[in-house]
PDB file of all heavy atoms in Angstrom:
ATOM      1  N   ASP A   1      23.799   2.067 -19.426  1.00 95.00           N
ATOM      2  CA  ASP A   1      23.654   1.240 -20.622  1.00 95.00           C
ATOM      3  C   ASP A   1      24.960   1.043 -21.374  1.00 95.00           C
ATOM      4  O   ASP A   1      25.197  -0.009 -21.972  1.00 95.00           O
ATOM      5  CB  ASP A   1      22.626   1.870 -21.579  1.00 95.00           C
ATOM      6  CG  ASP A   1      21.197   1.762 -21.063  1.00 95.00           C
ATOM      7  OD1 ASP A   1      20.977   1.032 -20.073  1.00 95.00           O
ATOM      8  OD2 ASP A   1      20.307   2.405 -21.664  1.00 95.00           O
ATOM      9  N   VAL A   2      25.815   2.061 -21.369  1.00 94.00           N
ATOM     10  CA  VAL A   2      27.039   2.023 -22.181  1.00 94.00           C
ATOM     11  C   VAL A   2      28.183   1.300 -21.460  1.00 94.00           C
ATOM     12  O   VAL A   2      28.827   0.416 -22.021  1.00 94.00           O
ATOM     13  CB  VAL A   2      27.483   3.447 -22.567  1.00 94.00           C
ATOM     14  CG1 VAL A   2      28.794   3.418 -23.348  1.00 94.00           C
ATOM     15  CG2 VAL A   2      26.389   4.139 -23.367  1.00 94.00           C
ATOM     16  N   THR A   3      28.424   1.670 -20.197  1.00 95.00           N
ATOM     17  CA  THR A   3      29.594   1.142 -19.482  1.00 95.00           C
ATOM     18  C   THR A   3      29.259   0.039 -18.488  1.00 95.00           C
ATOM     19  O   THR A   3      30.155  -0.706 -18.084  1.00 95.00           O
ATOM     20  CB  THR A   3      30.295   2.269 -18.706  1.00 95.00           C
ATOM     21  OG1 THR A   3      29.404   2.750 -17.682  1.00 95.00           O
ATOM     22  CG2 THR A   3      30.665   3.416 -19.638  1.00 95.00           C
ATOM     23  N   GLY A   4      28.006  -0.057 -18.078  1.00 96.00           N
ATOM     24  CA  GLY A   4      27.640  -1.025 -17.050  1.00 96.00           C
ATOM     25  C   GLY A   4      27.985  -0.571 -15.643  1.00 96.00           C
ATOM     26  O   GLY A   4      27.782  -1.302 -14.670  1.00 96.00           O
ATOM     27  N   GLU A   5      28.488   0.675 -15.536  1.00 95.00           N
ATOM     28  CA  GLU A   5      28.862   1.205 -14.221  1.00 95.00           C
ATOM     29  C   GLU A   5      27.620   1.615 -13.442  1.00 95.00           C
ATOM     30  O   GLU A   5      26.563   1.871 -14.030  1.00 95.00           O
ATOM     31  CB  GLU A   5      29.812   2.393 -14.396  1.00 95.00           C
ATOM     32  CG  GLU A   5      31.149   2.006 -15.004  1.00 95.00           C
ATOM     33  CD  GLU A   5      32.021   3.212 -15.353  1.00 95.00           C
ATOM     34  OE1 GLU A   5      31.494   4.342 -15.320  1.00 95.00           O
ATOM     35  OE2 GLU A   5      33.211   3.003 -15.669  1.00 95.00           O
ATOM     36  N   PRO A   6      27.726   1.717 -12.105  1.00 95.00           N
ATOM     37  CA  PRO A   6      26.559   2.030 -11.278  1.00 95.00           C
ATOM     38  C   PRO A   6      26.002   3.428 -11.553  1.00 95.00           C
ATOM     39  O   PRO A   6      26.749   4.367 -11.822  1.00 95.00           O
ATOM     40  CB  PRO A   6      27.096   1.940  -9.841  1.00 95.00           C
ATOM     41  CG  PRO A   6      28.390   1.235  -9.933  1.00 95.00           C
ATOM     42  CD  PRO A   6      28.926   1.461 -11.294  1.00 95.00           C
ATOM     43  N   LEU A   7      24.679   3.549 -11.464  1.00 95.00           N
ATOM     44  CA  LEU A   7      24.007   4.841 -11.525  1.00 95.00           C
ATOM     45  C   LEU A   7      23.752   5.329 -10.103  1.00 95.00           C
ATOM     46  O   LEU A   7      23.691   4.527  -9.167  1.00 95.00           O
ATOM     47  CB  LEU A   7      22.675   4.714 -12.273  1.00 95.00           C
ATOM     48  CG  LEU A   7      22.753   4.212 -13.715  1.00 95.00           C
ATOM     49  CD1 LEU A   7      21.351   4.042 -14.293  1.00 95.00           C
ATOM     50  CD2 LEU A   7      23.574   5.149 -14.587  1.00 95.00           C
ATOM     51  N   VAL A   8      23.608   6.631  -9.954  1.00 93.00           N
ATOM     52  CA  VAL A   8      23.362   7.202  -8.626  1.00 93.00           C
ATOM     53  C   VAL A   8      22.162   8.131  -8.687  1.00 93.00           C
ATOM     54  O   VAL A   8      21.791   8.629  -9.757  1.00 93.00           O
ATOM     55  CB  VAL A   8      24.591   7.981  -8.106  1.00 93.00           C
ATOM     56  CG1 VAL A   8      25.810   7.076  -8.021  1.00 93.00           C
ATOM     57  CG2 VAL A   8      24.891   9.193  -8.996  1.00 93.00           C
ATOM     58  N   GLN A   9      21.550   8.363  -7.533  1.00 87.00           N
ATOM     59  CA  GLN A   9      20.521   9.379  -7.404  1.00 87.00           C
ATOM     60  C   GLN A   9      21.096  10.519  -6.578  1.00 87.00           C
ATOM     61  O   GLN A   9      21.599  10.303  -5.475  1.00 87.00           O
ATOM     62  CB  GLN A   9      19.265   8.832  -6.724  1.00 87.00           C
ATOM     63  CG  GLN A   9      18.123   9.834  -6.718  1.00 87.00           C
ATOM     64  CD  GLN A   9      16.775   9.183  -6.469  1.00 87.00           C
ATOM     65  OE1 GLN A   9      16.700   8.086  -5.939  1.00 87.00           O
ATOM     66  NE2 GLN A   9      15.699   9.853  -6.870  1.00 87.00           N
ATOM     67  N   ARG A  10      21.080  11.728  -7.136  1.00 80.00           N
ATOM     68  CA  ARG A  10      21.720  12.866  -6.477  1.00 80.00           C
ATOM     69  C   ARG A  10      21.009  13.223  -5.184  1.00 80.00           C
ATOM     70  O   ARG A  10      19.787  13.075  -5.063  1.00 80.00           O
ATOM     71  CB  ARG A  10      21.734  14.063  -7.420  1.00 80.00           C
ATOM     72  CG  ARG A  10      22.718  13.921  -8.562  1.00 80.00           C
ATOM     73  CD  ARG A  10      22.495  14.916  -9.676  1.00 80.00           C
ATOM     74  NE  ARG A  10      22.023  16.221  -9.218  1.00 80.00           N
ATOM     75  CZ  ARG A  10      21.717  17.213 -10.048  1.00 80.00           C
ATOM     76  NH1 ARG A  10      21.827  17.051 -11.344  1.00 80.00           N
ATOM     77  NH2 ARG A  10      21.319  18.373  -9.583  1.00 80.00           N
ATOM     78  N   SER A  11      21.777  13.711  -4.219  1.00 78.00           N
ATOM     79  CA  SER A  11      21.223  14.058  -2.909  1.00 78.00           C
ATOM     80  C   SER A  11      20.217  15.193  -2.983  1.00 78.00           C
ATOM     81  O   SER A  11      19.339  15.320  -2.134  1.00 78.00           O
ATOM     82  CB  SER A  11      22.354  14.433  -1.935  1.00 78.00           C
ATOM     83  OG  SER A  11      23.076  15.558  -2.417  1.00 78.00           O
ATOM     84  N   ASP A  12      20.323  16.047  -4.014  1.00 72.00           N
ATOM     85  CA  ASP A  12      19.392  17.172  -4.128  1.00 72.00           C
ATOM     86  C   ASP A  12      18.228  16.869  -5.068  1.00 72.00           C
ATOM     87  O   ASP A  12      17.459  17.764  -5.420  1.00 72.00           O
ATOM     88  CB  ASP A  12      20.113  18.457  -4.563  1.00 72.00           C
ATOM     89  CG  ASP A  12      20.871  18.294  -5.874  1.00 72.00           C
ATOM     90  OD1 ASP A  12      21.071  17.135  -6.307  1.00 72.00           O
ATOM     91  OD2 ASP A  12      21.268  19.306  -6.458  1.00 72.00           O
ATOM     92  N   ASP A  13      18.089  15.597  -5.492  1.00 73.00           N
ATOM     93  CA  ASP A  13      16.952  15.202  -6.324  1.00 73.00           C
ATOM     94  C   ASP A  13      15.793  14.720  -5.445  1.00 73.00           C
ATOM     95  O   ASP A  13      15.448  13.539  -5.416  1.00 73.00           O
ATOM     96  CB  ASP A  13      17.361  14.106  -7.312  1.00 73.00           C
ATOM     97  CG  ASP A  13      18.028  14.659  -8.559  1.00 73.00           C
ATOM     98  OD1 ASP A  13      18.065  15.888  -8.708  1.00 73.00           O
ATOM     99  OD2 ASP A  13      18.514  13.853  -9.378  1.00 73.00           O
ATOM    100  N   ASN A  14      15.202  15.645  -4.712  1.00 78.00           N
ATOM    101  CA  ASN A  14      14.014  15.352  -3.924  1.00 78.00           C
ATOM    102  C   ASN A  14      13.069  16.539  -4.038  1.00 78.00           C
ATOM    103  O   ASN A  14      13.465  17.637  -4.451  1.00 78.00           O
ATOM    104  CB  ASN A  14      14.376  15.061  -2.458  1.00 78.00           C
ATOM    105  CG  ASN A  14      15.051  16.234  -1.786  1.00 78.00           C
ATOM    106  OD1 ASN A  14      14.418  17.230  -1.450  1.00 78.00           O
ATOM    107  ND2 ASN A  14      16.370  16.137  -1.592  1.00 78.00           N
ATOM    108  N   ALA A  15      11.786  16.307  -3.691  1.00 78.00           N
ATOM    109  CA  ALA A  15      10.755  17.316  -3.955  1.00 78.00           C
ATOM    110  C   ALA A  15      11.033  18.646  -3.258  1.00 78.00           C
ATOM    111  O   ALA A  15      10.862  19.713  -3.854  1.00 78.00           O
ATOM    112  CB  ALA A  15       9.393  16.763  -3.536  1.00 78.00           C
ATOM    113  N   ASP A  16      11.457  18.599  -2.003  1.00 82.00           N
ATOM    114  CA  ASP A  16      11.688  19.845  -1.255  1.00 82.00           C
ATOM    115  C   ASP A  16      12.829  20.658  -1.860  1.00 82.00           C
ATOM    116  O   ASP A  16      12.716  21.868  -2.060  1.00 82.00           O
ATOM    117  CB  ASP A  16      11.995  19.532   0.218  1.00 82.00           C
ATOM    118  CG  ASP A  16      10.760  19.025   0.956  1.00 82.00           C
ATOM    119  OD1 ASP A  16       9.640  19.309   0.490  1.00 82.00           O
ATOM    120  OD2 ASP A  16      10.926  18.341   1.983  1.00 82.00           O
ATOM    121  N   ALA A  17      13.948  19.966  -2.139  1.00 81.00           N
ATOM    122  CA  ALA A  17      15.098  20.659  -2.733  1.00 81.00           C
ATOM    123  C   ALA A  17      14.747  21.184  -4.120  1.00 81.00           C
ATOM    124  O   ALA A  17      15.179  22.273  -4.514  1.00 81.00           O
ATOM    125  CB  ALA A  17      16.300  19.731  -2.804  1.00 81.00           C
ATOM    126  N   LEU A  18      13.935  20.407  -4.884  1.00 82.00           N
ATOM    127  CA  LEU A  18      13.555  20.824  -6.233  1.00 82.00           C
ATOM    128  C   LEU A  18      12.768  22.136  -6.211  1.00 82.00           C
ATOM    129  O   LEU A  18      13.019  23.033  -7.017  1.00 82.00           O
ATOM    130  CB  LEU A  18      12.728  19.732  -6.909  1.00 82.00           C
ATOM    131  CG  LEU A  18      12.114  20.110  -8.271  1.00 82.00           C
ATOM    132  CD1 LEU A  18      13.205  20.459  -9.276  1.00 82.00           C
ATOM    133  CD2 LEU A  18      11.241  18.993  -8.792  1.00 82.00           C
ATOM    134  N   LYS A  19      11.815  22.248  -5.273  1.00 84.00           N
ATOM    135  CA  LYS A  19      11.009  23.468  -5.200  1.00 84.00           C
ATOM    136  C   LYS A  19      11.895  24.690  -4.948  1.00 84.00           C
ATOM    137  O   LYS A  19      11.688  25.750  -5.540  1.00 84.00           O
ATOM    138  CB  LYS A  19       9.956  23.319  -4.108  1.00 84.00           C
ATOM    139  CG  LYS A  19       8.874  22.302  -4.449  1.00 84.00           C
ATOM    140  CD  LYS A  19       7.912  22.087  -3.295  1.00 84.00           C
ATOM    141  CE  LYS A  19       6.875  21.020  -3.626  1.00 84.00           C
ATOM    142  NZ  LYS A  19       5.957  20.736  -2.499  1.00 84.00           N
ATOM    143  N   LYS A  20      12.885  24.538  -4.074  1.00 86.00           N
ATOM    144  CA  LYS A  20      13.808  25.641  -3.810  1.00 86.00           C
ATOM    145  C   LYS A  20      14.637  25.965  -5.054  1.00 86.00           C
ATOM    146  O   LYS A  20      14.866  27.131  -5.377  1.00 86.00           O
ATOM    147  CB  LYS A  20      14.737  25.279  -2.649  1.00 86.00           C
ATOM    148  CG  LYS A  20      14.041  25.160  -1.295  1.00 86.00           C
ATOM    149  CD  LYS A  20      15.044  24.802  -0.220  1.00 86.00           C
ATOM    150  CE  LYS A  20      14.370  24.642   1.137  1.00 86.00           C
ATOM    151  NZ  LYS A  20      15.344  24.255   2.193  1.00 86.00           N
ATOM    152  N   ARG A  21      15.085  24.927  -5.742  1.00 84.00           N
ATOM    153  CA  ARG A  21      15.907  25.129  -6.938  1.00 84.00           C
ATOM    154  C   ARG A  21      15.108  25.808  -8.048  1.00 84.00           C
ATOM    155  O   ARG A  21      15.639  26.632  -8.804  1.00 84.00           O
ATOM    156  CB  ARG A  21      16.470  23.787  -7.424  1.00 84.00           C
ATOM    157  CG  ARG A  21      17.499  23.182  -6.475  1.00 84.00           C
ATOM    158  CD  ARG A  21      17.774  21.729  -6.792  1.00 84.00           C
ATOM    159  NE  ARG A  21      18.479  21.566  -8.049  1.00 84.00           N
ATOM    160  CZ  ARG A  21      18.586  20.390  -8.693  1.00 84.00           C
ATOM    161  NH1 ARG A  21      18.012  19.321  -8.201  1.00 84.00           N
ATOM    162  NH2 ARG A  21      19.269  20.318  -9.811  1.00 84.00           N
ATOM    163  N   LEU A  22      13.810  25.461  -8.151  1.00 88.00           N
ATOM    164  CA  LEU A  22      12.977  26.077  -9.181  1.00 88.00           C
ATOM    165  C   LEU A  22      12.738  27.554  -8.891  1.00 88.00           C
ATOM    166  O   LEU A  22      12.749  28.381  -9.814  1.00 88.00           O
ATOM    167  CB  LEU A  22      11.639  25.336  -9.289  1.00 88.00           C
ATOM    168  CG  LEU A  22      11.692  23.957  -9.959  1.00 88.00           C
ATOM    169  CD1 LEU A  22      10.339  23.263  -9.866  1.00 88.00           C
ATOM    170  CD2 LEU A  22      12.133  24.075 -11.411  1.00 88.00           C
ATOM    171  N   VAL A  23      12.518  27.880  -7.637  1.00 88.00           N
ATOM    172  CA  VAL A  23      12.354  29.294  -7.258  1.00 88.00           C
ATOM    173  C   VAL A  23      13.616  30.073  -7.620  1.00 88.00           C
ATOM    174  O   VAL A  23      13.565  31.143  -8.235  1.00 88.00           O
ATOM    175  CB  VAL A  23      12.048  29.431  -5.754  1.00 88.00           C
ATOM    176  CG1 VAL A  23      12.143  30.898  -5.332  1.00 88.00           C
ATOM    177  CG2 VAL A  23      10.665  28.878  -5.436  1.00 88.00           C
ATOM    178  N   THR A  24      14.767  29.494  -7.255  1.00 86.00           N
ATOM    179  CA  THR A  24      16.050  30.137  -7.563  1.00 86.00           C
ATOM    180  C   THR A  24      16.249  30.259  -9.067  1.00 86.00           C
ATOM    181  O   THR A  24      16.687  31.298  -9.574  1.00 86.00           O
ATOM    182  CB  THR A  24      17.210  29.326  -6.954  1.00 86.00           C
ATOM    183  OG1 THR A  24      16.995  29.187  -5.559  1.00 86.00           O
ATOM    184  CG2 THR A  24      18.549  30.013  -7.192  1.00 86.00           C
ATOM    185  N   TYR A  25      15.903  29.202  -9.800  1.00 86.00           N
ATOM    186  CA  TYR A  25      16.072  29.208 -11.257  1.00 86.00           C
ATOM    187  C   TYR A  25      15.254  30.328 -11.902  1.00 86.00           C
ATOM    188  O   TYR A  25      15.769  31.111 -12.711  1.00 86.00           O
ATOM    189  CB  TYR A  25      15.663  27.852 -11.850  1.00 86.00           C
ATOM    190  CG  TYR A  25      15.635  27.852 -13.354  1.00 86.00           C
ATOM    191  CD1 TYR A  25      16.811  27.739 -14.098  1.00 86.00           C
ATOM    192  CD2 TYR A  25      14.437  28.021 -14.054  1.00 86.00           C
ATOM    193  CE1 TYR A  25      16.792  27.768 -15.480  1.00 86.00           C
ATOM    194  CE2 TYR A  25      14.402  28.049 -15.438  1.00 86.00           C
ATOM    195  CZ  TYR A  25      15.591  27.922 -16.140  1.00 86.00           C
ATOM    196  OH  TYR A  25      15.565  27.964 -17.517  1.00 86.00           O
ATOM    197  N   HIS A  26      13.984  30.401 -11.561  1.00 86.00           N
ATOM    198  CA  HIS A  26      13.116  31.392 -12.193  1.00 86.00           C
ATOM    199  C   HIS A  26      13.514  32.824 -11.828  1.00 86.00           C
ATOM    200  O   HIS A  26      13.455  33.720 -12.667  1.00 86.00           O
ATOM    201  CB  HIS A  26      11.657  31.130 -11.817  1.00 86.00           C
ATOM    202  CG  HIS A  26      11.091  29.891 -12.432  1.00 86.00           C
ATOM    203  ND1 HIS A  26      11.089  29.661 -13.789  1.00 86.00           N
ATOM    204  CD2 HIS A  26      10.523  28.790 -11.870  1.00 86.00           C
ATOM    205  CE1 HIS A  26      10.538  28.489 -14.049  1.00 86.00           C
ATOM    206  NE2 HIS A  26      10.197  27.945 -12.894  1.00 86.00           N
ATOM    207  N   GLU A  27      13.938  33.020 -10.599  1.00 86.00           N
ATOM    208  CA  GLU A  27      14.318  34.368 -10.159  1.00 86.00           C
ATOM    209  C   GLU A  27      15.616  34.833 -10.815  1.00 86.00           C
ATOM    210  O   GLU A  27      15.740  35.979 -11.235  1.00 86.00           O
ATOM    211  CB  GLU A  27      14.459  34.400  -8.640  1.00 86.00           C
ATOM    212  CG  GLU A  27      13.130  34.334  -7.892  1.00 86.00           C
ATOM    213  CD  GLU A  27      13.321  34.359  -6.386  1.00 86.00           C
ATOM    214  OE1 GLU A  27      14.485  34.228  -5.926  1.00 86.00           O
ATOM    215  OE2 GLU A  27      12.313  34.493  -5.669  1.00 86.00           O
ATOM    216  N   GLN A  28      16.610  33.940 -10.880  1.00 80.00           N
ATOM    217  CA  GLN A  28      17.943  34.343 -11.328  1.00 80.00           C
ATOM    218  C   GLN A  28      18.218  34.049 -12.802  1.00 80.00           C
ATOM    219  O   GLN A  28      18.948  34.791 -13.459  1.00 80.00           O
ATOM    220  CB  GLN A  28      19.013  33.655 -10.474  1.00 80.00           C
ATOM    221  CG  GLN A  28      18.989  34.076  -9.015  1.00 80.00           C
ATOM    222  CD  GLN A  28      20.203  33.584  -8.263  1.00 80.00           C
ATOM    223  OE1 GLN A  28      21.115  32.988  -8.837  1.00 80.00           O
ATOM    224  NE2 GLN A  28      20.233  33.820  -6.973  1.00 80.00           N
ATOM    225  N   THR A  29      17.652  32.966 -13.325  1.00 79.00           N
ATOM    226  CA  THR A  29      18.034  32.509 -14.656  1.00 79.00           C
ATOM    227  C   THR A  29      17.087  32.978 -15.750  1.00 79.00           C
ATOM    228  O   THR A  29      17.516  33.228 -16.877  1.00 79.00           O
ATOM    229  CB  THR A  29      18.138  30.972 -14.694  1.00 79.00           C
ATOM    230  OG1 THR A  29      18.915  30.526 -13.583  1.00 79.00           O
ATOM    231  CG2 THR A  29      18.809  30.503 -15.982  1.00 79.00           C
ATOM    232  N   SER A  30      15.808  33.101 -15.464  1.00 81.00           N
ATOM    233  CA  SER A  30      14.855  33.515 -16.499  1.00 81.00           C
ATOM    234  C   SER A  30      15.245  34.815 -17.200  1.00 81.00           C
ATOM    235  O   SER A  30      15.048  34.935 -18.415  1.00 81.00           O
ATOM    236  CB  SER A  30      13.442  33.621 -15.916  1.00 81.00           C
ATOM    237  OG  SER A  30      12.962  32.350 -15.551  1.00 81.00           O
ATOM    238  N   PRO A  31      15.800  35.822 -16.489  1.00 91.00           N
ATOM    239  CA  PRO A  31      16.225  37.039 -17.193  1.00 91.00           C
ATOM    240  C   PRO A  31      17.276  36.778 -18.278  1.00 91.00           C
ATOM    241  O   PRO A  31      17.403  37.577 -19.215  1.00 91.00           O
ATOM    242  CB  PRO A  31      16.810  37.900 -16.066  1.00 91.00           C
ATOM    243  CG  PRO A  31      16.080  37.460 -14.841  1.00 91.00           C
ATOM    244  CD  PRO A  31      15.907  35.979 -15.022  1.00 91.00           C
ATOM    245  N   VAL A  32      18.016  35.680 -18.155  1.00 93.00           N
ATOM    246  CA  VAL A  32      19.012  35.351 -19.172  1.00 93.00           C
ATOM    247  C   VAL A  32      18.320  35.091 -20.513  1.00 93.00           C
ATOM    248  O   VAL A  32      18.856  35.407 -21.582  1.00 93.00           O
ATOM    249  CB  VAL A  32      19.850  34.124 -18.744  1.00 93.00           C
ATOM    250  CG1 VAL A  32      20.842  33.728 -19.838  1.00 93.00           C
ATOM    251  CG2 VAL A  32      20.593  34.430 -17.451  1.00 93.00           C
ATOM    252  N   VAL A  33      17.126  34.497 -20.455  1.00 92.00           N
ATOM    253  CA  VAL A  33      16.358  34.261 -21.679  1.00 92.00           C
ATOM    254  C   VAL A  33      16.093  35.583 -22.387  1.00 92.00           C
ATOM    255  O   VAL A  33      16.275  35.709 -23.603  1.00 92.00           O
ATOM    256  CB  VAL A  33      15.026  33.549 -21.360  1.00 92.00           C
ATOM    257  CG1 VAL A  33      14.138  33.498 -22.606  1.00 92.00           C
ATOM    258  CG2 VAL A  33      15.286  32.140 -20.837  1.00 92.00           C
ATOM    259  N   GLY A  34      15.676  36.587 -21.620  1.00 92.00           N
ATOM    260  CA  GLY A  34      15.440  37.904 -22.204  1.00 92.00           C
ATOM    261  C   GLY A  34      16.681  38.482 -22.850  1.00 92.00           C
ATOM    262  O   GLY A  34      16.607  39.119 -23.907  1.00 92.00           O
TER     263      GLY A  34
END
């Protein structure tokens, strides 16, 4: 919207990769909240 430059869709923005990333996120990152 601001520059008019092309947008992209990341290679890891798909359902299979997302499920793996969520597992990794909850296992490794959630303790940071604590």
Side-chain angles (χ1 to χ4, degrees):
D1 289 349
V2 177
T3 65
E5 295 172 349
L7 301 176
V8 301
Q9 186 162 21
R10 288 165 35 183
S11 61
D12 57 346
D13 277 354
N14 61 74
D16 290 338
L18 173 61
K19 291 175 183 177
K20 293 180 181 178
R21 292 166 69 195
L22 286 174
V23 169
T24 304
Y25 172 79
H26 290 304
E27 287 180 350
Q28 295 191 4
T29 312
S30 293
V32 177
V33 171

